[in-house]
Amino acid sequence: MENFEMILSAAFIYSVIRLTTPIIFATLSAIISSKCGVTNIATEGMMLTTALSSAIISAKTQSVAMALCSAALIGALIGGLFILVTDKLKSNPVITGLSFNTIASGGTVFALWLFTGDKGASTSLNSLKAPQIEIPLLKEIPILGEILSNHNVLTYLAFVCVLLMSILLYKTSLGLRIRAVGENEEAAKSVGIHTTRIKVISLLISGAMSGLGGAFMSMGYLSWFSTNMVAGRGFIGLAAEAMGGGMPGGGLFMSLLFGFADALSNTLQTMVSIPAELIQMIPYLSTIAGLALISWLTRRKIQKRKMSGKYV
Amino acid sequence: MNKDSKFEILRLASAILISIFITFIVIFFVSEEPLRAIEKLMVGPLQSVRTFGNVIELMTPLMFTGTGMLILFSTKAFNLSADGAFHLGGLAAAVVAIKAILPMGIHPLVAILFAGVVGALIALIPLLIKYKTGANEFVVSLMLNYVCVLFASFLVLYFFKDVSQGTFASLPFQKTVSLGTLFPGTRIHAGFLVAILVVILAELILNRTTIGYKIRITGDNGAYAKYAGFNTLKIILISQIIGGFICGIGGGIEVLGMYSRFTWQKSMDFGWDGVIISILAKNRPKYIPIAAFFLAYLRMGAYVMATATDVQNEIIYVAQGIIIILIIGEKFLGKVRENMLYKAAKTKLEEEAV
């Protein structure tokens, strides 16, 4: 009973929102790239790279703004490089993504050692944390204030980005073009859309999203970089994108579910009765279960429609 | 040798040279003694029997996951659970090595077979879920890898932990489970021979048996295979069982051959290396030993470099990534290929004219 109360507490819901932040960014990154028809699994590596870069840059410049901008920029550059390689060299995007991730996981350790002489964590750097923001008025409201106020600036930015992504994809001509390229590249080309340019733009945005997600890892989630700290969150973003039907709103909802799984796993670990290793599996197992369930429901829906004679 | 394979070799060589060149540039930037670092990286593994032995030792698990991954991919299923299969295969063998009381010779055999069965079951999960629900096997397999590593740690810590050890370690294995040593002065064990055998068997299965033929057809053109009346689902599942089994015994053999306790708290990443090996080997099992040797040599060179100089071995992962990106790029050196084809056609025309 006590455990149950712990999960329903305001502090717990606060931590759900906090832990959802990197997953939202990863999901948005996956959404815009898959909307333009590119499978981008380099999210994981992009996040890891910018997690390190923002720790280093915030330590060197002592400026949070600088660190965040550079994270978005570096993420975008990797996104651009990714589309350059897959589009110009015609490389398989999945294997290219895996290679990017390999490079990131080795390269970050290499760079970390160059800057700190340590291969585990960047604690010796005097890096900064992105500020937490108290929202006036809202913070006065008893429970709601505790849950929604005093979050990291990146957390608020993540939610704003969901909104912006919706507007971009469904209310602008660029969004229409992105979706057209993703639906049918040849058809889009035939009506004069410069498909390569659209893909590059999408991947730059996708990279920037991952970049901000990575920045949160070392400037919000923790206040330093540690090796392989992204721990599959980029991949979970892919799952959230698929489960949310590629829509920013659906993706946000699914991200919150994963944030919940993450928070649950963190909270349960403080209780000794269940082995920590089993609890740490929760986010990964719930991804598998959730993805399986949603795919099954979608498939059944399509089958039912076919049975009733309505084709989509 | 025909034009195509000549071109493939040229491509492979260029990809490797470009990435090594980039590595050299990085070394020049970061190192106080770049020439010594490069020397260690390139010829370091040859400096003693022990270091060269290390290359062969490292080659063994790479051959297993390379072959396993090749077969997992052979039906175009994007199942990346090789890493999880390898890890839990290792644990399965360790459990038999700790608990079972069996005679010499039989003991390792049972442990390795059990590892294979566990590996096969793991690799089957993503495809079974895909078949039942339609969920993307790729994401499921990635998540499954994390689950496998955590699950192995859980089992070790709660059932097989050696409390006298300060670090993460299982109880010691029994003496009867040893895989021996093939060459004095190294730790090369009988598992190396098993790896060679597995490569040969994989080549035979894929190219000389009906099921291998069906696997290749399903991989080349799933729609055609279905049309020809193949039970493609069954074929895909069989390929996953074989691939997972190979990764599993790879994990088991690595644990029995190189360790006296189970000490893997993190993934050893051999599954990922398997992806690289299978791509380097151009999806032909017979090239797997060469690819595995190449990667193992590069890794060992990087380790020698890291211990002798101020350049860290992780640089090699960057080189590895670049090699793969270039190799899988269909258009990489596309112009050269066009020129080669053009020249060939021209000489042929001239010959015909004469």
Side-chain angles (χ1 to χ4, degrees), chain A residues 36-38 79-93 96 100 181 185-186 189 194-200 203, chain B residues 325 328-332:
Chain A
C36 80
V38 177
L81 195 65
F82 179 81
I83 195 66
L84 190 81
V85 170
T86 49
D87 216 61
K88 288 284 170 233
L89 290 181
K90 294 270 176 276
S91 312
N92 175 321
T96 308
F100 271 61
V181 172
E185 195 174 339
E186 292 307 313
K189 222 178 236 171
H194 199 308
T195 54
T196 309
R197 191 181 299 158
I198 297 291
K199 279 190 192 169
V200 170
L203 262 290
Chain B
I325 291 171
I328 57 163
E330 283 171 21
K331 287 280 167 71
F332 173 58

Side-chain angles (χ1 to χ4, degrees), chain A residues 30-275:
Chain A
I31 285 176
I32 189 158
S33 54
S34 80
K35 270 281 179 286
C36 80
V38 177
T39 316
N40 173 16
I41 68 156
T43 319
E44 184 83 8
M46 293 172 175
M47 287 174 78
L48 198 58
T49 310
T50 59
L52 177 66
S53 77
S54 36
I56 292 173
I57 291 173
S58 75
K60 297 280 171 205
T61 64
Q62 288 297 310
S63 150
V64 172
M66 200 73 148
L68 295 187
C69 291
S70 67
L73 199 70
I74 291 171
L77 279 177
I78 302 176
L81 195 65
F82 179 81
I83 195 66
L84 190 81
V85 170
T86 49
D87 216 61
K88 288 284 170 233
L89 290 181
K90 294 270 176 276
S91 312
N92 175 321
V94 174
I95 297 175
T96 308
L98 284 179
S99 306
F100 271 61
N101 294 341
T102 309
I103 295 176
S105 99
T108 47
V109 177
F110 189 76
L112 179 66
W113 192 86
L114 281 184
F115 280 95
T116 66
D118 190 294
K119 279 189 179 183
S122 72
T123 34
S124 65
L125 289 174
N126 179 24
S127 66
L128 307 175
K129 225 174 159 167
Q132 284 171 310
I133 294 180
E134 290 203 327
I135 300 177
L137 293 177
L138 186 69
K139 71 171 181 186
E140 312 292 339
I141 306 170
I143 296 166
L144 216 56
E146 261 181 81
I147 295 174
L148 295 177
S149 181
N150 205 23
H151 274 289
N152 191 292
V153 61
L154 284 166
T155 304
Y156 295 115
L157 188 61
F159 282 88
V160 173
C161 283
V162 174
L163 191 69
L164 290 178
M165 186 66 78
S166 284
I167 295 173
L168 170 72
L169 287 176
Y170 295 101
K171 300 273 184 255
T172 66
S173 64
L174 176 64
L176 182 67
R177 284 181 194 170
I178 291 174
R179 285 182 292 133
V181 172
E183 292 278 334
N184 190 332
E185 195 174 339
E186 292 307 313
K189 222 178 236 171
S190 73
V191 293
I193 297 177
H194 199 308
T195 54
T196 309
R197 191 181 299 158
I198 297 291
K199 279 190 192 169
V200 170
I201 293 171
S202 307
L203 262 290
L204 288 177
I205 299 173
S206 168
M209 289 293 115
S210 290
L212 290 173
F216 179 81
M217 292 309 292
S218 63
M219 297 180 73
Y221 182 79
L222 297 177
S223 50
W224 61 83
F225 171 85
S226 75
T227 318
N228 287 331
M229 72 187 311
V230 178
R233 286 183 178 78
F235 298 137
I236 290 181
L238 284 178
E241 182 268 334
M243 289 163 62
M247 314 279 269
L252 172 65
F253 180 71
M254 292 302 158
S255 306
L256 280 165
L257 281 186
F258 289 127
F260 176 80
D262 215 351
L264 189 69
S265 146
N266 278 2
T267 311
L268 287 178
Q269 273 182 60
T270 57
M271 305 169 195
V272 280
S273 56
I274 316 171

Side-chain angles (χ1 to χ4, degrees), chain B residues 7 10 19 45 57-58 63 66 70 83 96 114 146 157 163-164 167 180-181 184 194 233 302 318 325 331 349-350:
Chain B
F7 175 69
L10 176 73
S19 72
E57 289 153 21
L58 185 57
M63 280 198 281
L70 190 154
D83 212 53
V96 175
F114 184 49
Y146 289 99
L157 284 175
V163 277
S164 68
T167 51
T181 312
V194 181
L233 175 73
V318 179
I325 291 171
K331 287 280 167 71
L349 269 179
E350 279 164 4

Side-chain angles (χ1 to χ4, degrees), chain B residues 260-277:
Chain B
S260 53
R261 301 162 184 278
F262 186 86
T263 53
W264 298 345
Q265 201 168 10
K266 286 195 294 186
S267 158
M268 303 303 287
D269 287 340
F270 284 124
W272 300 110
D273 298 335
V275 179
I276 296 170
I277 304 278

